[in-house]
Amino acid sequence: MRSSGALLPVTWDGCPFATLCRLNMAALLRSARALNLSASPLLQIKRTSNHRQTISRFYSRTVGGRGIGVCSRQIISGSFNPAMLVWEHAVVARDEPSLGVRNKQSHQFDWALAKLDSSVRRTGRVTKSLLQRIFHDICRTGYPSGNQALLLLRSCGSLLPELPLAERTEFAHHIWGKLLELGAAYDVSHYNALLKVYLQNEFKFSPTEFLAKMEAANVQPNRVTYQRLIAAYCQVGDIEGASKVLGFMKSKDLPITEAVFNSLVTGHSRAGDMESAVNILSVMRGTGIDPGPDTYLALLVAYAEKGDMDKIKETLNQVENTDISLMDRDLMQVVFTLTVAGHQQHVPEVLEHLRHDGGFVPDAMNLCLSLITQGHESTAFMLLKTFPSVQADSQNSNGPDVGNFFLRHCVNTNKSPEELVGFCKGLMDSNLHAAPMQFTLYCALEAKKMAPAIEVMKTMKEEGLPIRPHYFWPLLAQHKRDQNTAGTLEVLKAMQELSTEPDIDTYCNYVLRTFPSVDSARTALADAGIAVDTIAFVSAEVRAEAAEGNLARLFAFLSSPSLPAIDIGVFRGNLIAGFKRQTSTENMAYFLYHLFDGMSETEVQAKEEVLREYLQQLHKKGICIPVNIYRGIRNILDSHHVPELIKVPLLCNFLLFCSHLKCSKTIKCVCVFSQNLPRALELKAEHEDKMSPSCYALLINLCCRHDNPEEALNLKRELARMDSEATLDVNKYMSLLRVLSKHNRLEEAVDILKEMKEKDVVVKDTAVVLLFHTFSAVALRGDVAALRRLQDTTFALGLAKPTSNLCSPMVTMYLEKGDFAGALEAVMECETQYHQLPRIHDVLCGIVKKGDTELLQKAMDFVSQQRGEMTVLYDLFFAFLQTGRYREARKIIETPGLRAKPGRLQWYAEKCIGSNQMEALETMVDLTAKLFECDRDEMYHYLLCLCKDTNDWSKAEAVWTKMQEENVIPRERTLRLLADIFKTNNQEVPFEVPEVKQPSSVTAFSSVAYAVLYTSRSSAGLRGLVMALCKKRKVQEAYNVLKEAERLGKALVPACYDALIKALLSSGSMEDAMAVKDIAANHITGFQLSDMAHNLQIITQVKQERPQGCLKTMLQMDQVPSQLALTRLVQGLGNHGDIKGIQEVASLIKSLSPSLNMSSMLFVNNMALAHIKNGDLERALEDLESLYTQTADHSQQSIAFVFRKVVEAHNDEAFDKLRTMAERLCHQFASYKPATDLFLQCLDTGRVEEARQLLQRCAAVAEQKTALVSYMAKASQSPGQIAKIKNLLELIPDFAEKELVYAYMMKCHGKWAGQVGLAAKALYRRMQAEGLQMNELSLKRLAQLYKKAGEPVPFEEPPETFKFYADKLKASTLPSPEDD
Amino acid sequence: MSAPGKKVFELFVSKIPWTLGTKEVKEYFGQFGHVRKCLLPFDKGTGFHKGFCWIGYTTEEGLHNALHKDPHVVEGSKLQVQQNMMPFTWRRMDKEAEES
């Protein structure tokens, strides 16, 4: 950090510094605004007068990019224009996310960071899809935090080599706008990150406008901002602009760093003044800054732009004479520039300078990708050919496959097929890739790119490589998904051209399913000139029919004389599948039930293990057993006495161990605590007989404390006489050991150690520390022999592990004497004996300080040999740092191939923090900036920890700026620490603090809080109030608050508007909701309803009889409504007879989201109703009837809805026709479902007579017992339906077991709150008369009725609860009337 | 739970390159014995197979012949071949294949 004063003598283009020095920010802006830098007016600031905030719109350079704007339908709604960004600033307060969201967010951030980080570390790049996925996730969680935003923004620059520059910037802008909308708070670090992205993407923008935006957002630019603005000016060769910013920095006393000079090199060169560019280097030296690698790189790039190869070589030579080393990555930058500037012919010469050191491959891959992206694939290929060819090893006989990434990216960027083939041949010729064609084809297929795929296949065919039918499946699969018949035919034609005949699987799995029916497929194929009478196609047809269970058609097929010979095996499986189509989990459950039912008790018990296994397997496969069947199974298993089978391992018996605390005899040893040894000994003499081992132990310890080894040993001997088994605890042994060794009673000390071993005393934790102190004390005395004896005995006995700490006293002994050679010897001895290098750092530091190179060499050789080079390098690095030899430290850390060792770095950082060594720590953080895999946030966190300890906020601020300069994304804890330092020093925190907040739950607001919030009239307060009121369903109040906010000109956040809209819609206030939407749209460009609000809007509109209106809005917006909203919509449309509308919805659903599991009957029924509504009864009947005559499986198709609607509408004509249809279906097609539905509908609407007539005509209805019982079960759910059950029973007396019916009836009575006691009693009597047993549940219900009526219960009331009997019943009979 | 008494002689083959189809795999393994069944599951969504398959021989001899050959190299790619230890999986995959 140099003072800017030194810069004054420098003159570039005679910039009038003096006049600038006292300029303030605004003045700079004014003067800068005069510059006409950008070609187009990129930014327009529009001040809206109706509210106070400034909204400016930012139009990115290229509009309407394709891939970038699309993340997911949920996130980016249809009308959101990705090119349009909102810069929303200043006073807008954001939602306070809840604790849960915060925690999740912080967790998610770590995940995202790790994911991106690992990608960057491994490959030096991020894929667009990964970034998009993380962006998507962050958006979905809502409330993006500051560092998440930073993480995303940072990744939009050169980390995306696979994306064109413009697209990257566009993505950055998209992220910027979207996160802002979601409430992210931007501080200076975000603006700086955006600037960096601009620079990396060579995005042309106006620095003045950028500063204006920051000013409008009330964000103060800092050193890094200015540095990057200078770089931006320099990028376009605008030295004047750069100088102005530079002057401003000087006026503010900001340090001018190397980065600024590097920019100026570029600036002068781009301005066409190479001389000045070169001159910058001497200017730098003049100010005391040595040109670094980046400076030379800037110079090299400048020459590369000019294509000046001589100068490049000259500069490279020059660099070689300094102690700076350029990395391969730097040279690749030169290669890139040469290529882009059109001087490809020089590339090979630069390539020769590459060292191919570690990290070459990922860097070179990124260069290739960038070059391909920018259309320089031939240069990229040149580079690719220099890649090391991996030798095909014997382990893996797969051939070499260098260049996969290259081929894939060429395919993705739509390089011409000719080029692709050319590269493939090139790779094969140079033996880099064994099967490039196949791989290219794979990529093309994966990306569903038909044209290149077909072209590559043509070449493969020419080369004699086989073309197989399944090569076309990925293409067909895509068309199948899109139901794109034209595309499918095109692929089939291509197959024909390549004379690859589709096989049966091709047709069956991919082709036929694209077409609505087998017949239509046949016709379409034939029309397209594709042979359909092949065995493959016919077999596929047969297979499809079999699978569908269309047995009649299958039979017709097979009996056709024109059928070629087909193996039964071709369709056998499908035929079986066709038969088994109805198989469901219910069947599986019944199977289980019968399995258990069919087994005897002993059998079940014998096979318990097998069964358990089986059940677990079933569970793993996600098979769910219906609850009533489960109960049945449970019942059986219970009766077989194997309850373990059904119990979840909940058998954790919480055994309460009753501790029978034997109160030990109170002994007067308490006096020991007085620490009075003579008194304690006296007491001991008095109560010799009452002495317990623990008393002895305490006394021995006391003796040790009083430094009395003699007495301690005496006591110990006494104790041994009293109880030879008695053992002291480890701390007492340690005390003994300490005092004995202190008094030089070595042999006795060794005996203690041996005794400890004998008695299995474990030395750990604090005892180890005591041991260390014992050793240290011996070391302090300088008694090498004693120390060695003690250490060796301890370790040999295995009492303690020879840790570095325990071994260190020996080394310390020499270090204290300043005998580094001796210390090193001791270390080496430890290493050979115990594999420990105690205090090697201190030893090395001592040697370095002393400057004993010979000894240093010896130490290095030894450590390197024992622990490897990496350890030595770190040891040396720390030693140099510690002794202030930073230049040497830099050399060490820049060793090629060195990677970050987090543990070692942490060790040194903590050492620095502990001993307050700011300079050493800072240097370490600086020097490790380019260290491979170094966690930068961690490093800066160490620095901040020290700042916190020293309470140095200005240093902390400098650290934060440094982080921005280095593009480091701080983790939350780092930001919190930083904020903490600022706060303790009463400084303003210049960013959003990600605090873990207590849930500021809106629901908990007291009325006082309301008042406070309301009177404060801050945006945040109003927002909170609106949210709280919405949650409390005080919709109108919330709306009023919003209106108040509007009056005050305060805008709220999108989430708040959305909540209010939802609340208003829920209460049916469509108009108000739309008014709020308009307000929101006024404040927030591109405001969109959330999915939920959108659904509510649809439902409300349908309720208000305006389905057409909402169909329109639905079509306009690109949102997929919920199933419920859709159902309501379709019903509404049906009500209005809007056939076209229903069709539109149906096709929309099909195209939008086939996964939306909508019942097809929804559309069929409502279509029919719409026809009826329109008077086209015939059409409705035709459609409905065909439904039952054309498909085999009717079980799921219920048209009860149509019946009900017709009955409700009293449309007798339609009713009659429908009835006739149902009867016809019943008689002629054996389709009983419609008649049964109609029968039950009549019953349900009280048309008993019609039901009776229907029954007479369609006797089969009486056989549909399942449907009838389930109707009864449903009816018994609600009170007052008893008449319906009675009617049913009267019409079909034997539709179910009497007991069952009566039980349901009793349930119905039970539900009825009024006077039905009589009826219930009558039912009871009737049952008794019929000799039927009433089950316990029903009895319980009846008893309850008696009690309610205040009458005595005339029978013994079952004692258990309802639930008990319900469960019992469920378990015993299947199915049964039960409570839910 | 496969039917008792009926022995199955199955291989589990993985690392199958995408260029090989059911026919090719069956042909290759046919050289060791009669292949009763060859199941190479395809992902119907992507159109690519999943890189592994099951081969069922009619005789134990076929299985042994196949297991004794090493390495299995088809069109330049080395396949990983082992005896199928999970007969249950076979049934499940079998069912899937039939249903699809």
Side-chain angles (χ1 to χ4, degrees), chain A residues 395 397-398 438 441-442 445-446 448 468 470-471 473-474 477 481 509-510 513 573-574 614 617 621, chain B residues 1 18-21 24 42-49 73 75-78 88 92 95 98-100:
Chain A
Q395 285 282 305
S397 63
N398 293 346
Q438 285 92 331
L441 175 58
Y442 179 78
L445 292 174
E446 213 181 21
K448 318 285 182 202
R468 293 165 181 150
H470 74 270
Y471 290 6
W473 292 359
R481 190 175 322 144
N509 293 336
Y510 301 97
R513 291 174 182 215
N574 298 79
Y614 184 51
Q617 291 260 334
K621 288 182 180 177
Chain B
M1 291 189 223
W18 76 275
T19 46
L20 298 184
E24 288 74 34
F42 272 75
D43 181 329
K44 301 259 168 19
T46 65
F48 290 106
H49 66 61
V73 179
E75 295 186 8
S77 297
K78 190 184 166 198
F88 208 70
R92 193 168 57 81
K95 200 168 167 241
E98 277 170 0
E99 277 172 354
S100 54

Side-chain angles (χ1 to χ4, degrees), chain A residues 720-741:
Chain A
R721 274 200 298 276
M722 187 182 106
D723 180 2
S724 61
E725 294 295 296
T727 311
L728 297 177
D729 72 31
V730 65
N731 289 339
K732 312 259 172 0
Y733 276 120
M734 282 301 142
S735 303
L736 263 174
L737 192 65
R738 183 181 56 81
V739 79
L740 289 173
S741 55

